[in-house]
PDB file of all heavy atoms in Angstrom:
ATOM      1  N   LEU A   1       0.855  -1.126   0.007  1.00  0.00           N
ATOM      2  CA  LEU A   1      -0.007   0.026  -0.011  1.00  0.00           C
ATOM      3  C   LEU A   1       0.864   1.244   0.043  1.00  0.00           C
ATOM      4  O   LEU A   1       0.590   2.192  -0.756  1.00  0.00           O
ATOM      5  CB  LEU A   1      -0.937   0.027   1.211  1.00  0.00           C
ATOM      6  CG  LEU A   1      -1.958  -1.144   1.219  1.00  0.00           C
ATOM      7  CD1 LEU A   1      -2.844  -0.988   2.504  1.00  0.00           C
ATOM      8  CD2 LEU A   1      -2.891  -1.019   0.056  1.00  0.00           C
ATOM      9  N   GLU A   2       1.893   1.208   0.853  1.00  0.00           N
ATOM     10  CA  GLU A   2       2.789   2.429   0.892  1.00  0.00           C
ATOM     11  C   GLU A   2       3.543   2.717  -0.427  1.00  0.00           C
ATOM     12  O   GLU A   2       3.552   3.891  -0.939  1.00  0.00           O
ATOM     13  CB  GLU A   2       3.833   2.280   1.963  1.00  0.00           C
ATOM     14  CG  GLU A   2       3.290   2.271   3.400  1.00  0.00           C
ATOM     15  CD  GLU A   2       4.432   2.080   4.378  1.00  0.00           C
ATOM     16  OE1 GLU A   2       5.509   1.321   3.987  1.00  0.00           O
ATOM     17  OE2 GLU A   2       4.162   2.364   5.577  1.00  0.00           O
ATOM     18  N   ILE A   3       4.026   1.635  -1.016  1.00  0.00           N
ATOM     19  CA  ILE A   3       4.813   1.804  -2.268  1.00  0.00           C
ATOM     20  C   ILE A   3       3.903   2.382  -3.411  1.00  0.00           C
ATOM     21  O   ILE A   3       4.262   3.227  -4.189  1.00  0.00           O
ATOM     22  CB  ILE A   3       5.388   0.415  -2.757  1.00  0.00           C
ATOM     23  CG1 ILE A   3       6.476  -0.064  -1.910  1.00  0.00           C
ATOM     24  CG2 ILE A   3       5.967   0.576  -4.163  1.00  0.00           C
ATOM     25  CD1 ILE A   3       7.722   0.662  -1.797  1.00  0.00           C
ATOM     26  N   ALA A   4       2.666   1.954  -3.390  1.00  0.00           N
ATOM     27  CA  ALA A   4       1.772   2.396  -4.536  1.00  0.00           C
ATOM     28  C   ALA A   4       1.107   3.688  -4.225  1.00  0.00           C
ATOM     29  O   ALA A   4       1.016   4.501  -5.111  1.00  0.00           O
ATOM     30  CB  ALA A   4       0.667   1.277  -4.640  1.00  0.00           C
ATOM     31  N   ALA A   5       0.845   4.020  -2.899  1.00  0.00           N
ATOM     32  CA  ALA A   5      -0.038   5.220  -2.591  1.00  0.00           C
ATOM     33  C   ALA A   5       0.939   6.404  -2.416  1.00  0.00           C
ATOM     34  O   ALA A   5       0.461   7.547  -2.803  1.00  0.00           O
ATOM     35  CB  ALA A   5      -0.764   4.920  -1.449  1.00  0.00           C
ATOM     36  N   LEU A   6       2.004   6.403  -1.784  1.00  0.00           N
ATOM     37  CA  LEU A   6       2.673   7.594  -1.436  1.00  0.00           C
ATOM     38  C   LEU A   6       3.125   8.429  -2.579  1.00  0.00           C
ATOM     39  O   LEU A   6       2.893   9.715  -2.627  1.00  0.00           O
ATOM     40  CB  LEU A   6       4.026   7.251  -0.573  1.00  0.00           C
ATOM     41  CG  LEU A   6       4.828   8.546  -0.194  1.00  0.00           C
ATOM     42  CD1 LEU A   6       4.071   9.415   0.769  1.00  0.00           C
ATOM     43  CD2 LEU A   6       6.032   8.018   0.739  1.00  0.00           C
ATOM     44  N   PRO A   7       3.664   7.899  -3.680  1.00  0.00           N
ATOM     45  CA  PRO A   7       3.963   8.692  -4.839  1.00  0.00           C
ATOM     46  C   PRO A   7       2.699   9.414  -5.458  1.00  0.00           C
ATOM     47  O   PRO A   7       2.745  10.499  -5.995  1.00  0.00           O
ATOM     48  CB  PRO A   7       4.473   7.661  -5.843  1.00  0.00           C
ATOM     49  CG  PRO A   7       4.947   6.669  -5.086  1.00  0.00           C
ATOM     50  CD  PRO A   7       4.017   6.483  -3.921  1.00  0.00           C
ATOM     51  N   LEU A   8       1.535   8.781  -5.252  1.00  0.00           N
ATOM     52  CA  LEU A   8       0.385   9.446  -5.863  1.00  0.00           C
ATOM     53  C   LEU A   8      -0.229  10.521  -5.066  1.00  0.00           C
ATOM     54  O   LEU A   8      -1.105  11.282  -5.560  1.00  0.00           O
ATOM     55  CB  LEU A   8      -0.800   8.340  -5.876  1.00  0.00           C
ATOM     56  CG  LEU A   8      -0.494   7.039  -6.947  1.00  0.00           C
ATOM     57  CD1 LEU A   8      -1.552   6.099  -6.870  1.00  0.00           C
ATOM     58  CD2 LEU A   8      -0.304   7.693  -8.263  1.00  0.00           C
ATOM     59  N   VAL A   9       0.395  10.768  -3.897  1.00  0.00           N
ATOM     60  CA  VAL A   9      -0.033  11.933  -3.030  1.00  0.00           C
ATOM     61  C   VAL A   9       0.271  13.200  -3.903  1.00  0.00           C
ATOM     62  O   VAL A   9      -0.471  14.258  -3.842  1.00  0.00           O
ATOM     63  CB  VAL A   9       0.696  12.045  -1.709  1.00  0.00           C
ATOM     64  CG1 VAL A   9       0.462  13.334  -1.121  1.00  0.00           C
ATOM     65  CG2 VAL A   9       0.181  10.943  -0.855  1.00  0.00           C
ATOM     66  N   HIS A  10       1.307  13.124  -4.750  1.00  0.00           N
ATOM     67  CA  HIS A  10       1.573  14.321  -5.691  1.00  0.00           C
ATOM     68  C   HIS A  10       1.530  13.857  -7.123  1.00  0.00           C
ATOM     69  O   HIS A  10       2.314  14.455  -7.899  1.00  0.00           O
ATOM     70  CB  HIS A  10       2.896  14.987  -5.249  1.00  0.00           C
ATOM     71  CG  HIS A  10       2.956  16.431  -5.688  1.00  0.00           C
ATOM     72  ND1 HIS A  10       2.756  16.875  -6.955  1.00  0.00           N
ATOM     73  CD2 HIS A  10       2.936  17.642  -4.879  1.00  0.00           C
ATOM     74  CE1 HIS A  10       2.819  18.203  -7.017  1.00  0.00           C
ATOM     75  NE2 HIS A  10       2.800  18.704  -5.712  1.00  0.00           N
ATOM     76  N   GLY A  11       0.838  12.848  -7.527  1.00  0.00           N
ATOM     77  CA  GLY A  11       0.666  12.497  -8.834  1.00  0.00           C
ATOM     78  C   GLY A  11       1.829  11.854  -9.540  1.00  0.00           C
ATOM     79  O   GLY A  11       1.938  11.837 -10.793  1.00  0.00           O
ATOM     80  N   ALA A  12       2.792  11.233  -8.765  1.00  0.00           N
ATOM     81  CA  ALA A  12       3.859  10.623  -9.337  1.00  0.00           C
ATOM     82  C   ALA A  12       3.421   9.202  -9.895  1.00  0.00           C
ATOM     83  O   ALA A  12       4.046   8.191  -9.150  1.00  0.00           O
ATOM     84  CB  ALA A  12       5.061  10.529  -8.378  1.00  0.00           C
ATOM     85  N   VAL A  13       2.744   9.094 -10.889  1.00  0.00           N
ATOM     86  CA  VAL A  13       2.197   7.818 -11.325  1.00  0.00           C
ATOM     87  C   VAL A  13       3.212   6.891 -11.889  1.00  0.00           C
ATOM     88  O   VAL A  13       3.074   5.749 -11.692  1.00  0.00           O
ATOM     89  CB  VAL A  13       1.194   8.046 -12.389  1.00  0.00           C
ATOM     90  CG1 VAL A  13      -0.046   8.804 -11.849  1.00  0.00           C
ATOM     91  CG2 VAL A  13       1.693   8.808 -13.662  1.00  0.00           C
ATOM     92  N   TRP A  14       4.311   7.399 -12.443  1.00  0.00           N
ATOM     93  CA  TRP A  14       5.312   6.535 -13.043  1.00  0.00           C
ATOM     94  C   TRP A  14       6.100   5.807 -11.924  1.00  0.00           C
ATOM     95  O   TRP A  14       6.303   4.655 -11.875  1.00  0.00           O
ATOM     96  CB  TRP A  14       6.347   7.258 -13.886  1.00  0.00           C
ATOM     97  CG  TRP A  14       5.851   7.658 -15.265  1.00  0.00           C
ATOM     98  CD1 TRP A  14       5.361   8.815 -15.633  1.00  0.00           C
ATOM     99  CD2 TRP A  14       5.481   6.750 -16.315  1.00  0.00           C
ATOM    100  NE1 TRP A  14       4.838   8.893 -16.995  1.00  0.00           N
ATOM    101  CE2 TRP A  14       4.954   7.590 -17.366  1.00  0.00           C
ATOM    102  CE3 TRP A  14       5.612   5.454 -16.541  1.00  0.00           C
ATOM    103  CZ2 TRP A  14       4.659   7.053 -18.677  1.00  0.00           C
ATOM    104  CZ3 TRP A  14       5.337   4.884 -17.723  1.00  0.00           C
ATOM    105  CH2 TRP A  14       4.826   5.669 -18.773  1.00  0.00           C
ATOM    106  N   THR A  15       6.359   6.510 -10.901  1.00  0.00           N
ATOM    107  CA  THR A  15       7.032   5.854  -9.675  1.00  0.00           C
ATOM    108  C   THR A  15       6.056   4.949  -9.038  1.00  0.00           C
ATOM    109  O   THR A  15       6.574   3.733  -8.667  1.00  0.00           O
ATOM    110  CB  THR A  15       7.395   7.015  -8.692  1.00  0.00           C
ATOM    111  OG1 THR A  15       8.224   7.906  -9.300  1.00  0.00           O
ATOM    112  CG2 THR A  15       8.032   6.406  -7.485  1.00  0.00           C
ATOM    113  N   ALA A  16       4.831   5.280  -8.820  1.00  0.00           N
ATOM    114  CA  ALA A  16       3.901   4.230  -8.224  1.00  0.00           C
ATOM    115  C   ALA A  16       3.797   3.054  -9.133  1.00  0.00           C
ATOM    116  O   ALA A  16       3.839   1.998  -8.563  1.00  0.00           O
ATOM    117  CB  ALA A  16       2.554   4.883  -8.204  1.00  0.00           C
ATOM    118  N   ALA A  17       3.677   3.158 -10.388  1.00  0.00           N
ATOM    119  CA  ALA A  17       3.569   1.878 -11.267  1.00  0.00           C
ATOM    120  C   ALA A  17       4.865   1.068 -11.305  1.00  0.00           C
ATOM    121  O   ALA A  17       4.733  -0.102 -11.008  1.00  0.00           O
ATOM    122  CB  ALA A  17       3.119   2.427 -12.663  1.00  0.00           C
ATOM    123  N   ILE A  18       5.950   1.721 -11.610  1.00  0.00           N
ATOM    124  CA  ILE A  18       7.227   0.939 -11.735  1.00  0.00           C
ATOM    125  C   ILE A  18       7.675   0.259 -10.492  1.00  0.00           C
ATOM    126  O   ILE A  18       7.962  -0.854 -10.446  1.00  0.00           O
ATOM    127  CB  ILE A  18       8.239   1.961 -12.200  1.00  0.00           C
ATOM    128  CG1 ILE A  18       8.008   2.418 -13.695  1.00  0.00           C
ATOM    129  CG2 ILE A  18       9.714   1.243 -12.160  1.00  0.00           C
ATOM    130  CD1 ILE A  18       8.840   3.528 -14.212  1.00  0.00           C
ATOM    131  N   PHE A  19       7.522   0.957  -9.273  1.00  0.00           N
ATOM    132  CA  PHE A  19       8.012   0.347  -8.053  1.00  0.00           C
ATOM    133  C   PHE A  19       6.945  -0.520  -7.548  1.00  0.00           C
ATOM    134  O   PHE A  19       7.336  -1.529  -6.803  1.00  0.00           O
ATOM    135  CB  PHE A  19       8.462   1.488  -7.128  1.00  0.00           C
ATOM    136  CG  PHE A  19       9.710   2.074  -7.507  1.00  0.00           C
ATOM    137  CD1 PHE A  19       9.856   3.206  -8.381  1.00  0.00           C
ATOM    138  CD2 PHE A  19      10.880   1.503  -6.987  1.00  0.00           C
ATOM    139  CE1 PHE A  19      11.077   3.624  -8.666  1.00  0.00           C
ATOM    140  CE2 PHE A  19      12.199   2.034  -7.205  1.00  0.00           C
ATOM    141  CZ  PHE A  19      12.242   3.133  -8.226  1.00  0.00           C
ATOM    142  N   SER A  20       5.666  -0.503  -7.804  1.00  0.00           N
ATOM    143  CA  SER A  20       4.754  -1.502  -7.497  1.00  0.00           C
ATOM    144  C   SER A  20       5.187  -2.834  -8.139  1.00  0.00           C
ATOM    145  O   SER A  20       5.047  -3.857  -7.490  1.00  0.00           O
ATOM    146  CB  SER A  20       3.339  -1.005  -7.861  1.00  0.00           C
ATOM    147  OG  SER A  20       2.887   0.008  -7.099  1.00  0.00           O
ATOM    148  N   VAL A  21       5.477  -2.773  -9.355  1.00  0.00           N
ATOM    149  CA  VAL A  21       5.904  -3.981 -10.005  1.00  0.00           C
ATOM    150  C   VAL A  21       7.137  -4.496  -9.553  1.00  0.00           C
ATOM    151  O   VAL A  21       7.308  -5.690  -9.219  1.00  0.00           O
ATOM    152  CB  VAL A  21       6.030  -3.672 -11.623  1.00  0.00           C
ATOM    153  CG1 VAL A  21       6.678  -4.932 -12.315  1.00  0.00           C
ATOM    154  CG2 VAL A  21       4.730  -3.365 -12.188  1.00  0.00           C
ATOM    155  N   ALA A  22       8.163  -3.678  -9.281  1.00  0.00           N
ATOM    156  CA  ALA A  22       9.417  -4.078  -8.666  1.00  0.00           C
ATOM    157  C   ALA A  22       9.215  -4.742  -7.264  1.00  0.00           C
ATOM    158  O   ALA A  22       9.863  -5.767  -6.964  1.00  0.00           O
ATOM    159  CB  ALA A  22      10.420  -2.929  -8.612  1.00  0.00           C
ATOM    160  N   ASN A  23       8.395  -4.063  -6.422  1.00  0.00           N
ATOM    161  CA  ASN A  23       8.112  -4.619  -5.196  1.00  0.00           C
ATOM    162  C   ASN A  23       7.397  -5.982  -5.243  1.00  0.00           C
ATOM    163  O   ASN A  23       7.702  -6.786  -4.372  1.00  0.00           O
ATOM    164  CB  ASN A  23       7.224  -3.559  -4.471  1.00  0.00           C
ATOM    165  CG  ASN A  23       6.917  -3.989  -3.000  1.00  0.00           C
ATOM    166  OD1 ASN A  23       7.857  -4.251  -2.299  1.00  0.00           O
ATOM    167  ND2 ASN A  23       5.655  -3.901  -2.577  1.00  0.00           N
ATOM    168  N   ALA A  24       6.488  -6.134  -6.177  1.00  0.00           N
ATOM    169  CA  ALA A  24       5.709  -7.360  -6.406  1.00  0.00           C
ATOM    170  C   ALA A  24       6.665  -8.501  -6.641  1.00  0.00           C
ATOM    171  O   ALA A  24       6.683  -9.631  -6.172  1.00  0.00           O
ATOM    172  CB  ALA A  24       4.700  -7.236  -7.411  1.00  0.00           C
ATOM    173  N   VAL A  25       7.642  -8.214  -7.586  1.00  0.00           N
ATOM    174  CA  VAL A  25       8.697  -9.273  -7.906  1.00  0.00           C
ATOM    175  C   VAL A  25       9.564  -9.657  -6.737  1.00  0.00           C
ATOM    176  O   VAL A  25       9.678 -10.815  -6.438  1.00  0.00           O
ATOM    177  CB  VAL A  25       9.603  -8.733  -9.060  1.00  0.00           C
ATOM    178  CG1 VAL A  25      10.738  -9.678  -9.260  1.00  0.00           C
ATOM    179  CG2 VAL A  25       8.815  -8.491 -10.338  1.00  0.00           C
ATOM    180  N   LEU A  26      10.024  -8.580  -5.993  1.00  0.00           N
ATOM    181  CA  LEU A  26      10.872  -8.895  -4.790  1.00  0.00           C
ATOM    182  C   LEU A  26      10.158  -9.683  -3.755  1.00  0.00           C
ATOM    183  O   LEU A  26      10.584 -10.531  -3.146  1.00  0.00           O
ATOM    184  CB  LEU A  26      11.439  -7.513  -4.216  1.00  0.00           C
ATOM    185  CG  LEU A  26      12.632  -7.047  -4.971  1.00  0.00           C
ATOM    186  CD1 LEU A  26      12.878  -5.633  -4.407  1.00  0.00           C
ATOM    187  CD2 LEU A  26      13.798  -7.857  -4.867  1.00  0.00           C
ATOM    188  N   LEU A  27       8.818  -9.249  -3.545  1.00  0.00           N
ATOM    189  CA  LEU A  27       8.046  -9.899  -2.469  1.00  0.00           C
ATOM    190  C   LEU A  27       7.717 -11.326  -2.799  1.00  0.00           C
ATOM    191  O   LEU A  27       7.622 -12.173  -1.946  1.00  0.00           O
ATOM    192  CB  LEU A  27       6.688  -9.153  -2.303  1.00  0.00           C
ATOM    193  CG  LEU A  27       6.862  -7.896  -1.419  1.00  0.00           C
ATOM    194  CD1 LEU A  27       5.487  -7.227  -1.167  1.00  0.00           C
ATOM    195  CD2 LEU A  27       7.507  -8.125  -0.083  1.00  0.00           C
ATOM    196  N   ALA A  28       7.543 -11.627  -4.104  1.00  0.00           N
ATOM    197  CA  ALA A  28       7.340 -12.984  -4.502  1.00  0.00           C
ATOM    198  C   ALA A  28       8.498 -13.860  -4.130  1.00  0.00           C
ATOM    199  O   ALA A  28       8.343 -15.026  -3.529  1.00  0.00           O
ATOM    200  CB  ALA A  28       7.237 -12.959  -6.077  1.00  0.00           C
ATOM    201  N   PHE A  29       9.694 -13.430  -4.264  1.00  0.00           N
ATOM    202  CA  PHE A  29      10.885 -14.163  -3.833  1.00  0.00           C
ATOM    203  C   PHE A  29      11.138 -14.236  -2.230  1.00  0.00           C
ATOM    204  O   PHE A  29      11.289 -15.221  -1.717  1.00  0.00           O
ATOM    205  CB  PHE A  29      12.220 -13.604  -4.386  1.00  0.00           C
ATOM    206  CG  PHE A  29      12.431 -13.826  -5.800  1.00  0.00           C
ATOM    207  CD1 PHE A  29      12.228 -12.924  -6.866  1.00  0.00           C
ATOM    208  CD2 PHE A  29      12.927 -15.081  -6.209  1.00  0.00           C
ATOM    209  CE1 PHE A  29      12.361 -13.180  -8.185  1.00  0.00           C
ATOM    210  CE2 PHE A  29      13.076 -15.331  -7.616  1.00  0.00           C
ATOM    211  CZ  PHE A  29      12.833 -14.385  -8.519  1.00  0.00           C
ATOM    212  N   ARG A  30      10.734 -13.034  -1.634  1.00  0.00           N
ATOM    213  CA  ARG A  30      10.894 -12.880  -0.285  1.00  0.00           C
ATOM    214  C   ARG A  30       9.767 -13.823   0.519  1.00  0.00           C
ATOM    215  O   ARG A  30      10.203 -14.548   1.478  1.00  0.00           O
ATOM    216  CB  ARG A  30      10.603 -11.368   0.162  1.00  0.00           C
ATOM    217  CG  ARG A  30      10.359 -11.174   1.508  1.00  0.00           C
ATOM    218  CD  ARG A  30      11.670 -10.911   2.300  1.00  0.00           C
ATOM    219  NE  ARG A  30      11.356 -10.678   3.737  1.00  0.00           N
ATOM    220  CZ  ARG A  30      12.242 -10.259   4.503  1.00  0.00           C
ATOM    221  NH1 ARG A  30      13.546 -10.015   4.077  1.00  0.00           N
ATOM    222  NH2 ARG A  30      12.030  -9.953   5.797  1.00  0.00           N
ATOM    223  N   ILE A  31       8.618 -13.819   0.046  1.00  0.00           N
ATOM    224  CA  ILE A  31       7.568 -14.516   0.789  1.00  0.00           C
ATOM    225  C   ILE A  31       7.796 -16.044   0.577  1.00  0.00           C
ATOM    226  O   ILE A  31       7.631 -16.823   1.451  1.00  0.00           O
ATOM    227  CB  ILE A  31       6.128 -14.052   0.186  1.00  0.00           C
ATOM    228  CG1 ILE A  31       5.805 -12.760   0.794  1.00  0.00           C
ATOM    229  CG2 ILE A  31       5.030 -15.191   0.697  1.00  0.00           C
ATOM    230  CD1 ILE A  31       4.556 -12.292   0.150  1.00  0.00           C
ATOM    231  N   THR A  32       8.301 -16.418  -0.603  1.00  0.00           N
ATOM    232  CA  THR A  32       8.578 -17.826  -0.846  1.00  0.00           C
ATOM    233  C   THR A  32       9.638 -18.369   0.010  1.00  0.00           C
ATOM    234  O   THR A  32       9.508 -19.345   0.691  1.00  0.00           O
ATOM    235  CB  THR A  32       9.001 -18.108  -2.288  1.00  0.00           C
ATOM    236  OG1 THR A  32       7.921 -17.794  -3.294  1.00  0.00           O
ATOM    237  CG2 THR A  32       9.324 -19.547  -2.564  1.00  0.00           C
ATOM    238  N   ALA A  33      10.750 -17.558   0.127  1.00  0.00           N
ATOM    239  CA  ALA A  33      11.871 -17.875   1.079  1.00  0.00           C
ATOM    240  C   ALA A  33      11.388 -17.834   2.566  1.00  0.00           C
ATOM    241  O   ALA A  33      11.886 -18.882   3.339  1.00  0.00           O
ATOM    242  CB  ALA A  33      13.020 -16.933   0.839  1.00  0.00           C
ATOM    243  N   GLU A  34      10.658 -16.984   2.930  1.00  0.00           N
ATOM    244  CA  GLU A  34      10.206 -16.867   4.365  1.00  0.00           C
ATOM    245  C   GLU A  34       9.252 -18.006   4.753  1.00  0.00           C
ATOM    246  O   GLU A  34       9.456 -18.612   5.710  1.00  0.00           O
ATOM    247  CB  GLU A  34       9.536 -15.469   4.513  1.00  0.00           C
ATOM    248  CG  GLU A  34       9.168 -15.309   5.994  1.00  0.00           C
ATOM    249  CD  GLU A  34       8.552 -13.926   6.236  1.00  0.00           C
ATOM    250  OE1 GLU A  34       9.268 -13.008   6.124  1.00  0.00           O
ATOM    251  OE2 GLU A  34       7.346 -13.824   6.521  1.00  0.00           O
ATOM    252  N   GLU A  35       8.295 -18.310   3.843  1.00  0.00           N
ATOM    253  CA  GLU A  35       7.383 -19.305   4.305  1.00  0.00           C
ATOM    254  C   GLU A  35       8.111 -20.657   4.164  1.00  0.00           C
ATOM    255  O   GLU A  35       7.761 -21.586   4.969  1.00  0.00           O
ATOM    256  CB  GLU A  35       6.154 -19.338   3.168  1.00  0.00           C
ATOM    257  CG  GLU A  35       5.280 -18.093   3.466  1.00  0.00           C
ATOM    258  CD  GLU A  35       4.053 -18.137   2.706  1.00  0.00           C
ATOM    259  OE1 GLU A  35       3.914 -18.977   1.685  1.00  0.00           O
ATOM    260  OE2 GLU A  35       3.059 -17.346   3.050  1.00  0.00           O
ATOM    261  N   ARG A  36       9.079 -20.839   3.318  1.00  0.00           N
ATOM    262  CA  ARG A  36       9.925 -21.987   3.363  1.00  0.00           C
ATOM    263  C   ARG A  36      10.638 -22.218   4.602  1.00  0.00           C
ATOM    264  O   ARG A  36      10.711 -23.393   5.194  1.00  0.00           O
ATOM    265  CB  ARG A  36      10.773 -22.160   2.088  1.00  0.00           C
ATOM    266  CG  ARG A  36      11.495 -23.490   1.929  1.00  0.00           C
ATOM    267  CD  ARG A  36      12.509 -23.496   0.759  1.00  0.00           C
ATOM    268  NE  ARG A  36      11.756 -23.198  -0.463  1.00  0.00           N
ATOM    269  CZ  ARG A  36      11.900 -22.205  -1.334  1.00  0.00           C
ATOM    270  NH1 ARG A  36      12.784 -21.292  -1.071  1.00  0.00           N
ATOM    271  NH2 ARG A  36      11.254 -22.195  -2.459  1.00  0.00           N
TER     272      ARG A  36
END
């Protein structure tokens, strides 16, 4: 929520979009490793 929303407080849509995708990729690895 933070990664997606904070940039949009001032309309930084590119940052919100790009880093939401990057965060999703990292979290996919992170959650897999943590749950394992």
Side-chain angles (χ1 to χ4, degrees):
L1 296 177
E2 289 177 342
I3 293 288
L6 182 56
L8 296 178
V9 171
H10 207 297
V13 293
W14 286 107
T15 301
I18 292 169
F19 283 88
S20 288
V21 172
N23 185 49
V25 172
L26 282 174
L27 282 183
F29 286 103
R30 168 87 180 189
I31 289 171
T32 299
E34 183 176 293
E35 291 189 346
R36 186 182 296 121

